[in-house]
Amino acid sequence: MLNVRSCYSISKSIIKIDELAQTCVEHDLSYVSICDDAFFGLPHLIRVAKKNHLKPVFGYRYMRDDGVYSFFAKNKKGYLSLIRFSNENLSLKEILSEKGLITVFCGEKDEYLNIIKEYPNVYYGVDEESDIDQIKKPLFFKTVNMLKTDDFQALDLIKKIGRIDQQKTASPESFENLYETNLKACLKKAYSNIEKIVDEIQEYDLSVDYKIPLLNVEQDENEQLYHLCQEKLVERGLNTEQEYLDRFEYEYSVISQMGFSRYLLLAADIVDTAKELGAWVGPGRGSAVSSLLVFLLGITQADPIKNGLIFERFLSLDRDDEPDIDIDVEDEMRQELLSALRKKYTKERMVNVVTFGTYGQKLVKRELSKHFNVDQNQLIQEKYQNLISKIIGLPHHVSTHAAGLIFSEKDLRNMIPLRALTDDSFMTQYDMNALKECGLFKMDILGLITLSTLKKTGVSFESLDIQDEKVYQSIKSDNLCGIFQLDSKTGRRLTEVFTPFNFDEIRILISINRPGPSQSGLTEELINRRNGTKKVEYYHPLVKEILSKTWGVPVYQEQIMEMSMKLAGFSPKQANELRKAMAKKDHSIMSKLKSDFIDGSYANDMEKDAAEELFEMMAEFAGYAFNKAHATAYGLITYWTAFTKFHNPFRFYKTMIDSSHGKYIKLYDIINEARKNGIEILAPDINISDSETKEEEGALRLGFNLVKDLNPSAITKIISERQRDKYNSVEDFILRMDQSVLSDFILKRLLEAHLFDDLADKWSLEDMKRIRDKNAKTLEKIGAKLFGEAINNEANKNKQPTRDNQNQNRATYLQEEIQSYGFVVNMEKTFGIKYDPFYHSEINVGLITNELKANRYEVNNGIDYSVMSPSVRLKQGDTIIFFKHRNESHYRGFLNGKDAEMVMKQNHLSELEKTISKRKESIKRAGIKKIRILTKKYSMEVLL
């Protein structure tokens, strides 16, 4: 079968290439063939064919109004011509004349007879019903898009999901059914032509003649790299230190011999281009941070020698895999950078990399649930499970890799299949693994939100003092909002028991803040040793220096490499192989290397039993060890955010708030922490606020942008009208505003967001609508009068406005704020305290918003609702102390804002005493001065 559509003809087939190859083996075929709308599946086809000892046969479908042309590459030359054709670099006439291709036409018979007058070697695709009179080169070419007949339901479903018009597609046919069909006599020749075509096809690979672009072609790339890095060495004053000179010469020798000079020069040009545009670039990422030359070029900002990084983690002469340089740039300028680079390198020599979204478990279940109109819980039945298994893993859609780009010296349209992404950009049809097989280098340019945030604060990387002790002291579990890599639940838990004292410890902290180390016991072991609750032990004197800064526990991948090189005499290549094998738990490679390790260690006077024990320890931790070079660069960003926050807190919190619109939990967290740190946060106000947050006399005034669903045009009109004169009342505001802005919804939102709280009058929503509508009618009456006419308020002067309940309860106030902002802004008005001192602990402060039924209440902690059934009687508006377990809340006491006290039973205080004690100062700053303890007989006060 030649006309087999694979699953890479997305939504048109459910044939997975691995399963297709297995089917071909079972049917004793010598080949495996696919014929798709794109080249997506070709690399996979070649890999699978090789694995199963089959000949790969690839066809590309090209649709026109007069019919469908399917082109099969006979050899490498034909394949490259087919790529050029698919990239619109060859015409149809040229491709039909290409001797390295076999062409099959499917369409009207008369059209085919016209084609073969000029191109006699073109085959005519037929099926059982075709008329083949006058056809000299018939080919049985019925479309196959499922392996078995009972796959029809799965195929039908993905076509519906993909919105494929089934009336315009051929009736589905299975591989199994066609193979078993007894073909009519007239089709025997058409069927035998399949084998004839397969025999003509030669196997080929996808490698291409590829080079990374070099802007200055007049000078050899190695010379360019050497002289440029040498200049930077002198500029930095490092040319007088022998250690740097030796490292420089060693790295240059390896990089130039390995042919990677162009790669470094390209990365340097990308970073230079970003800086020329004014974009902020990160201090680096990944193993590239361990290279001195990469550092000298300005691609990374961490001195690898001062930071104890080994070059072999990046590259060595005996390494088979190429180096990897990834670049972080502020996310808000990434597209501008890509546009500038595309102008410099042209869109044909700089392309994005494709990636495939696949059907996962959740997506399949959701689609099946909709299709069969059943609850997802019913999908456990066998009939559904069989269907799910057929769909899971199929490509669902095509998108661009988040960061990957290919740069080339020559036009990529002649090397790999592309597809248009936009009018001025292309995307590859091969994913990053296939591109690597082709010999192409991917360069990752990633957008990092933290860099945009830092840029807005104005604190540059160059201004950092890495020795600032006060900054390290500020990195605490209750002060991590906006701190890169630590602003998370796990980061807070970890920082509570591991407060970093220096940059080395920041690197360690972000390295162990991952599930692997925590679940493996590495984190607990390291912290116990660091905090002195467990003895620090080294497995051999030779590894003490390597493990001294991590208390004898291997935290970094580089430590695994260093131990194997120093103790067992491993080459850099062996050390890297060991690192990868241990990380992937590849026991076959580990077994071989273990023997080499023990023998090498024994030669260094280490007993074999001890060497084996050390190897097992390394294997245990290596799977969770982190890249030290990456930890160094990202640790610098962690410190950068902490430094900025400590030295410029107002700007930091303002930027954090403005960059978190719509992220309600995050905003609540930021604002709560800012208040805890002594920064006054003022609620949005109709007469004061701007669109964004602004500094106001030692405080931060929140902007209108925080109000949900308040559109930019309304905000602009509110501010522009206010610039003439402040609004002196709600009525004044309504009368002066453009009537088109004041919809019922906007009026309701402005009122419930409490933007008018500081104005003299307190109107209800209905009264506000009445004023608006009356004003609109009056304006309509005076229409074209030149100077207009004042609204006659005399008729209403004796009518008092209907004011909203001036003693509006706090529960209603809270609910309005939740509705308007997504979280509570006016903490003091709702809870009676300046901020929540218990946030990020097991304790919550909440407000009873509703009694659902007898002794069952709804409670809100300022951001979300839960329910509780306490043992005491409560009422709406009570402020309570509680903790949450799953979806249920448990009452532990109440908060009396008037008397600035917490009230709780003795047993509840004992339960929460550890948290209260730890946060004592924070509780006092929030406005709570004492705890009233209730016993069976007495009531005691404890001053905080």
Side-chain angles (χ1 to χ4, degrees):
M1 306 302 148
L2 291 181
N3 196 15
V4 180
R5 287 201 186 190
S6 81
C7 58
Y8 287 98
S9 284
I10 296 174
S11 299
K12 296 174 184 175
S13 168
I14 62 161
I15 296 177
K16 297 172 184 175
I17 296 178
D18 303 71
E19 294 174 1
L20 173 64
Q22 189 58 43
T23 302
C24 291
V25 170
E26 290 168 2
H27 287 82
D28 293 324
L29 293 178
S30 63
Y31 67 95
V32 55
S33 174
I34 62 172
C35 187
D36 282 336
D37 305 330
F39 287 73
F40 300 144
L42 176 55
H44 194 176
L45 175 73
I46 291 175
R47 285 194 294 267
V48 168
K50 185 177 181 181
K51 180 181 176 182
N52 289 277
H53 309 291
L54 299 169
K55 179 187 284 189
V57 177
F58 176 74
Y60 170 67
R61 289 166 46 91
Y62 174 66
M63 299 182 69
R64 279 172 39 114
D65 291 340
D66 60 352
V68 178
Y69 295 81
S70 296
F71 301 103
F72 290 86
K74 291 166 66 173
N75 49 40
K76 184 70 167 281
K77 183 176 181 295
Y79 161 71
L80 292 173
S81 294
L82 192 53
I83 282 175
R84 292 177 63 198
F85 172 70
S86 73
N87 291 333
E88 300 181 357
N89 255 9
L90 281 181
S91 67
L92 180 60
K93 284 190 174 184
E94 289 173 310
I95 203 72
L96 286 170
S97 303
E98 171 59 60
K99 293 180 180 179
L101 291 170
I102 295 166
T103 305
V104 183
F105 176 79
C106 294
E108 294 297 327
K109 182 178 175 181
D110 290 344
E111 184 64 34
Y112 171 73
L113 293 174
N114 284 330
I115 291 169
I116 59 172
K117 289 176 185 177
E118 190 173 352
Y119 308 104
N121 290 323
V122 174
Y123 286 87
Y124 186 48
V126 301
D127 59 25
E128 302 96 325
E129 310 301 324
S130 299
D131 172 16
I132 60 171
D133 289 342
Q134 301 176 281
I135 304 298
K136 293 181 179 179
K137 300 192 78 168
L139 177 71
F140 185 70
F141 206 64
K142 191 162 187 179
T143 303
V144 176
N145 46 14
M146 55 186 180
L147 290 177
K148 297 181 179 179
T149 307
D150 63 4
D151 291 341
F152 173 77
Q153 191 178 29
L155 177 62
D156 181 60
L157 184 60
I158 68 159
K159 283 184 175 182
K160 286 177 179 174
I161 295 170
R163 298 178 181 175
I164 300 297
D165 187 345
Q166 307 223 28
Q167 293 181 345
K168 294 183 180 180
T169 60
S171 299
E173 190 56 88
S174 72
F175 186 100
E176 182 182 66
N177 190 47
L178 283 188
Y179 189 83
E180 299 297 333
T181 299
N182 291 318
L183 298 170
K184 296 178 182 178
C186 64
L187 288 176
K188 284 185 178 177
K189 183 179 179 183
Y191 189 77
S192 64
N193 278 337
I194 294 175
E195 293 298 331
K196 184 179 178 182
I197 287 174
V198 171
D199 288 343
E200 283 189 69
I201 290 172
Q202 304 165 16
E203 293 185 40
Y204 53 88
D205 61 33
L206 306 182
S207 62
V208 291
D209 179 20
Y210 167 79
K211 279 188 177 180
I212 290 170
L214 187 68
L215 291 178
N216 181 2
V217 294
E218 295 177 2
Q219 188 182 11
D220 174 76
E221 60 257 34
N222 293 328
E223 290 179 8
Q224 285 189 51
L225 180 68
Y226 189 88
H227 293 307
L228 185 57
C229 291
Q230 196 175 51
E231 286 174 14
K232 300 293 184 182
L233 196 71
V234 174
E235 279 180 26
R236 292 176 182 266
L238 302 173
N239 60 313
T240 58
E241 299 183 40
Q242 193 61 44
E243 186 178 8
Y244 283 88
L245 293 172
D246 292 344
R247 177 80 167 250
F248 175 91
E249 293 296 340
Y250 167 61
E251 287 196 18
Y252 170 74
S253 173
V254 173
I255 290 167
S256 58
Q257 285 184 65
M258 295 287 284
F260 294 129
S261 294
R262 286 183 178 226
Y263 190 52
L264 268 65
L265 291 169
L266 172 63
D269 183 62
I270 292 170
V271 170
D272 289 344
T273 303
K275 291 176 179 177
E276 286 165 10
L277 291 172
W280 280 25
V281 180
R285 61 184 288 139
S287 60
V289 182
S290 59
S291 168
L292 176 63
L293 265 62
V294 173
F295 169 66
L296 292 173
L297 289 169
I299 301 166
T300 57
Q301 299 297 325
D303 185 325
I305 293 177
K306 285 183 178 177
N307 284 284
L309 305 177
I310 59 172
F311 177 65
E312 288 79 9
R313 179 63 183 87
F314 176 61
L315 190 63
S316 64
L317 281 174
D318 50 8
R319 281 256 302 261
D320 298 324
D321 50 338
E322 69 276 357
D324 193 15
I325 298 178
D326 300 337
I327 297 166
D328 284 324
V329 64
E330 57 170 297
D331 70 310
E332 291 181 11
M333 287 195 70
R334 181 175 180 270
Q335 287 306 319
E336 188 177 338
L337 171 61
L338 296 186
S339 296
L341 291 170
R342 201 166 277 117
K343 285 179 183 176
K344 182 182 289 191
Y345 290 98
T346 76
K347 69 174 185 177
E348 295 82 14
R349 298 189 297 129
M350 172 189 160
V351 300
N352 291 75
V353 175
V354 73
T355 186
F356 300 100
T358 57
Y359 282 96
Q361 189 95 9
K362 287 184 179 178
L363 175 60
V364 175
K365 285 185 174 181
R366 187 171 68 243
E367 292 295 342
L368 259 63
S369 177
K370 286 193 295 186
H371 182 74
F372 293 108
N373 195 26
V374 297
D375 187 88
Q376 288 194 23
N377 294 326
Q378 296 179 34
L379 297 177
I380 58 172
Q381 297 174 33
E382 187 177 339
K383 63 177 181 178
Y384 296 125
Q385 287 298 309
N386 185 42
L387 195 56
I388 289 170
S389 68
K390 289 178 180 178
I391 298 175
I392 281 181
L394 293 173
H396 175 262
H397 65 274
V398 172
S399 61
T400 54
H401 188 280
L405 294 155
I406 300 292
F407 291 83
S408 172
E409 182 178 69
K410 296 178 183 177
D411 191 334
L412 283 162
R413 292 175 300 173
N414 298 324
M415 299 185 197
I416 54 172
L418 305 174
R419 66 185 313 189
L421 186 58
T422 64
D423 290 342
D424 65 347
S425 64
F426 288 113
M427 175 174 68
T428 68
Q429 291 193 37
Y430 295 158
D431 66 15
M432 61 182 189
N433 294 321
L435 292 167
K436 190 175 179 179
E437 291 169 13
C438 295
L440 275 64
F441 279 56
K442 176 174 66 72
M443 181 75 73
D444 281 346
I445 303 177
L446 302 99
L448 196 61
I449 294 172
T450 302
L451 289 173
S452 294
T453 303
L454 286 165
K455 184 180 181 181
K456 289 169 186 172
T457 66
V459 179
S460 68
F461 182 81
E462 291 72 24
S463 67
L464 300 183
D465 173 9
I466 204 74
Q467 305 297 334
D468 193 329
E469 291 183 9
K470 291 182 178 178
V471 173
Y472 292 107
Q473 292 166 11
S474 74
I475 303 175
K476 297 180 292 188
S477 61
D478 63 345
N479 192 40
L480 295 178
C481 274
I483 302 302
F484 188 66
Q485 299 279 290
L486 296 177
D487 186 358
S488 63
K489 286 183 180 179
T490 58
R492 291 175 202 284
R493 283 199 295 267
L494 193 55
T495 310
E496 190 165 351
V497 292
F498 187 157
T499 303
F501 296 133
N502 52 49
F503 182 67
D504 277 335
E505 294 193 357
I506 282 183
R507 286 194 292 188
I508 294 168
L509 192 59
I510 66 173
S511 297
I512 61 176
N513 184 26
R514 297 175 295 120
S518 177
Q519 293 165 8
S520 70
L522 182 151
T523 298
E524 185 180 2
E525 178 71 19
L526 184 140
I527 290 172
N528 286 338
R529 291 186 180 198
R530 187 254 194 181
N531 292 344
T533 57
K534 196 166 184 180
K535 184 181 177 183
V536 176
E537 294 179 313
Y538 300 98
Y539 298 86
H540 191 275
L542 282 175
V543 302
K544 183 174 182 180
E545 185 182 348
I546 296 169
L547 299 178
S548 62
K549 289 188 177 180
T550 55
W551 303 282
V553 178
V555 171
Y556 303 119
Q557 296 166 357
E558 287 88 335
Q559 289 174 308
I560 301 294
M561 294 175 65
E562 285 181 293
M563 284 190 287
S564 64
M565 288 190 288
K566 186 168 185 178
L567 194 60
F570 272 24
S571 69
K573 181 181 181 181
Q574 283 178 301
N576 199 47
E577 282 178 357
L578 179 65
R579 173 191 67 80
K580 289 198 288 188
M582 285 182 165
K584 295 177 180 178
K585 308 291 184 188
D586 189 326
H587 294 288
S588 61
I589 297 176
M590 282 170 63
S591 179
K592 176 187 176 299
L593 291 172
K594 180 178 181 179
S595 177
D596 294 341
F597 182 87
I598 292 172
D599 291 343
S601 300
Y602 182 70
N604 274 329
D605 298 326
M606 189 177 192
E607 294 296 327
K608 288 191 175 183
D609 288 348
E612 185 170 358
E613 184 183 349
L614 176 58
F615 187 90
E616 294 301 330
M617 180 278 293
M618 289 164 60
E620 180 184 351
F621 288 117
Y624 313 106
F626 200 56
N627 184 334
K628 187 180 182 183
H630 184 71
T632 300
Y634 269 32
L636 285 170
I637 303 179
T638 300
Y639 182 81
W640 193 355
T641 52
F643 182 92
T644 303
K645 184 176 185 177
F646 181 79
H647 288 286
N648 202 341
F650 277 87
R651 181 66 64 84
F652 184 85
Y653 282 115
K654 170 190 160 20
T655 305
M656 285 290 295
I657 291 167
D658 289 340
S659 63
S660 302
H661 290 160
K663 301 173 184 175
Y664 307 122
I665 294 175
K666 186 71 181 170
L667 281 166
Y668 178 79
D669 193 3
I670 295 164
I671 291 169
N672 193 69
E673 186 189 274
R675 285 173 168 154
K676 178 186 72 68
N677 286 336
I679 295 176
E680 188 178 4
I681 305 289
L682 304 172
D685 184 285
I686 200 72
N687 266 327
I688 305 172
S689 290
D690 289 339
S691 178
E692 301 281 2
T693 305
K694 67 177 180 179
E695 290 190 41
E696 180 187 312
E697 298 177 358
L700 290 178
R701 172 74 66 177
L702 300 178
F704 291 130
N705 271 349
L706 260 66
V707 181
K708 289 162 70 174
D709 308 314
L710 190 58
N711 60 65
S713 62
I715 292 172
T716 300
K717 287 177 181 177
I718 290 169
I719 294 172
S720 61
E721 173 61 28
R722 190 185 70 200
Q723 286 172 345
R724 297 196 301 125
D725 194 13
K726 286 191 173 183
Y727 306 113
N728 56 50
S729 66
V730 177
E731 183 176 13
D732 178 46
F733 169 78
I734 296 171
L735 297 180
R736 287 168 56 188
M737 282 300 294
D738 187 332
Q739 303 304 302
S740 64
V741 173
L742 300 180
S743 65
D744 288 0
F745 172 80
I746 292 293
L747 281 176
K748 185 174 187 291
R749 180 63 84 231
L750 295 173
L751 183 65
E752 291 185 344
H754 307 127
L755 297 182
F756 303 124
D757 278 12
D758 288 340
L759 296 181
D761 50 349
K762 305 283 189 244
W763 296 87
S764 70
L765 179 61
E766 292 308 313
D767 282 326
M768 290 170 72
K769 290 180 187 177
R770 179 177 54 78
I771 296 168
R772 176 201 62 193
D773 296 341
K774 179 178 176 60
N775 185 38
K777 288 176 183 176
T778 304
L779 289 174
E780 192 176 313
K781 286 179 183 178
I782 63 176
K785 287 189 178 181
L786 184 60
F787 298 106
E789 185 178 301
I791 297 171
N792 183 7
N793 283 319
E794 289 298 313
N796 292 315
K797 68 180 181 180
N798 295 321
K799 183 176 179 180
Q800 294 297 317
T802 305
R803 295 172 181 264
D804 264 354
N805 182 3
Q806 301 225 14
N807 297 315
Q808 186 180 44
N809 66 58
R810 290 185 299 157
T812 303
Y813 194 95
L814 177 146
Q815 288 167 325
E816 288 178 347
E817 291 222 325
I818 294 286
Q819 186 69 28
S820 301
Y821 298 104
F823 61 97
V824 168
V825 171
N826 289 290
M827 194 75 181
E828 206 150 4
K829 286 186 179 180
T830 48
F831 293 102
I833 50 178
K834 294 175 183 177
Y835 59 87
D836 181 356
F838 300 113
Y839 200 60
H840 294 304
S841 76
E842 74 272 25
I843 307 177
N844 284 265
V845 175
L847 197 75
I848 300 297
T849 55
N850 199 10
E851 184 170 6
L852 303 173
K853 57 183 181 180
N855 211 39
R856 189 156 178 83
Y857 303 93
E858 181 183 71
V859 60
N860 188 287
N861 66 349
I863 188 69
D864 61 8
Y865 292 92
S866 57
V867 292
M868 66 165 56
S869 299
S871 57
V872 297
R873 183 81 181 140
L874 299 172
K875 64 180 184 296
Q876 191 181 52
D878 280 350
T879 305
I880 64 164
I881 296 162
F882 68 100
F883 74 82
K884 287 173 69 174
H885 180 65
R886 296 179 181 170
N887 293 325
E888 193 79 13
S889 295
H890 302 274
Y891 175 82
R892 287 297 178 264
F894 69 89
L895 189 64
N896 182 351
K898 183 180 178 182
D899 295 327
E901 66 179 4
M902 291 193 298
V903 182
M904 58 182 63
K905 290 182 179 179
Q906 187 176 10
N907 61 321
H908 290 155
L909 177 62
S910 299
E911 180 186 9
L912 306 177
E913 188 174 7
K914 185 177 179 182
T915 299
I916 292 172
S917 176
K918 192 180 295 181
R919 300 193 175 212
K920 180 180 175 182
E921 292 305 314
S922 181
I923 293 168
K924 287 167 64 178
R925 289 199 303 272
I928 302 169
K929 297 178 181 177
K930 58 189 175 182
I931 301 175
R932 182 178 297 278
I933 307 167
L934 305 177
T935 66
K936 288 183 179 179
K937 294 183 178 181
Y938 305 105
S939 171
M940 298 182 293
E941 282 187 3
V942 176
L943 296 178
L944 291 170

